[in-house]
Amino acid sequence: MSQPLTTEALLRLVYRYFPAGAHVYEERYESSDEFKRLDALRRAAVEDQSAWTAFLKRIREELPGTLVWDYPNIRYDPAYSIRVLLPGYPIGAPEHKEVVLMVSILAPVHLLYATHSKRLHQHQAESISYQPPLPPEFQPFAEKVEALAIEAFGTTRLAQDVLATPVPNLYVGNTGFGKVTLADCLFGDYRW
């Protein structure tokens, strides 16, 4: 993307990859030029994951004691995604603290946030998401993950107000007209 990362430029960009006024289940959605461009980008990202794989390796090397979970949503969404589980919270533990990073393939941008999940009962959990600035216990991990993403991909983190910009005439994933935001378009409508 050669244009500055303004909200207006990002809105113009997402309209190149998502057909306005078309529901994802309509035939014209997948036959649109916009969808074909998005599908080509996703396929290319699936085919060549060398930069992403090298990035994951660096995180594992530079954040020992963490667990890095690579979420393979790139086949369906326009972003790579990882969760970095903070030390002291093993898999299966009743509580988890994680830093989440998503890197868009549509623009040189990333999304960063943290989650704190607690299992209350066998089938009930509570989860809190934090947007930057993050609570102190997440900060060293988030700073390292973000620095590595910037180094590897040359990305910029978008402000929350930009991410929350409505894109009313698009349907993205399972998010319907009037509810879609720039974050849904750039990273997918499911931010796990």
Side-chain angles (χ1 to χ4, degrees):
M1 182 172 174
S2 59
Q3 302 172 355
L5 291 173
T6 64
T7 302
E8 295 75 24
L10 290 167
L11 285 168
R12 283 191 301 274
L13 175 79
V14 299
Y15 282 110
R16 290 189 36 77
Y17 297 99
F18 296 95
H23 189 288
V24 293
Y25 298 112
E26 289 180 47
E27 186 177 314
R28 67 183 174 118
Y29 190 91
E30 288 193 13
S31 65
S32 71
D33 290 340
E34 294 88 348
F35 178 82
K36 289 175 185 175
R37 280 191 284 273
L38 176 59
D39 192 49
L41 273 181
R42 287 191 313 223
R43 287 176 187 268
V46 167
E47 195 170 301
D48 181 10
Q49 294 192 30
S50 55
W52 183 250
T53 302
F55 170 69
L56 294 174
K57 182 178 183 217
R58 288 275 316 272
I59 290 176
R60 288 180 177 112
E61 290 171 354
E62 297 200 25
L63 289 172
T66 63
L67 177 66
V68 179
W69 182 27
D70 175 21
Y71 187 65
N73 66 326
I74 193 66
R75 295 179 190 280
Y76 311 103
D77 291 324
Y80 292 104
S81 301
I82 60 162
R83 280 186 174 269
V84 178
L85 185 66
L86 275 56
Y89 299 97
I91 292 178
E95 184 175 5
H96 292 99
K97 291 185 179 181
E98 301 164 310
V99 170
V100 180
L101 176 86
M102 300 177 84
V103 177
S104 179
I105 62 171
L106 300 182
V109 295
H110 65 266
L111 175 79
L112 180 77
Y113 63 96
T115 63
H116 181 186
S117 302
K118 291 181 186 179
R119 186 171 46 233
L120 303 174
H121 304 288
Q122 185 176 3
H123 299 290
Q124 185 182 13
E126 170 185 85
S127 185
I128 301 168
S129 290
Y130 302 100
Q131 305 303 321
L134 301 177
E137 66 265 30
F138 296 99
Q139 287 179 5
F141 301 95
E143 288 170 3
K144 188 63 172 180
V145 168
E146 185 167 43
L148 290 171
I150 291 167
E151 180 183 318
F153 306 108
T155 55
T156 300
R157 180 171 24 109
L158 296 175
Q160 283 306 117
D161 61 327
V162 173
L163 291 169
T165 301
V167 191
N169 59 345
L170 293 186
Y171 201 107
V172 174
N174 292 315
T175 304
F177 297 115
K179 297 179 183 175
V180 172
T181 65
L182 266 176
D184 299 320
C185 299
L186 294 169
F187 300 102
D189 68 326
Y190 178 61
R191 285 175 294 285
W192 56 293

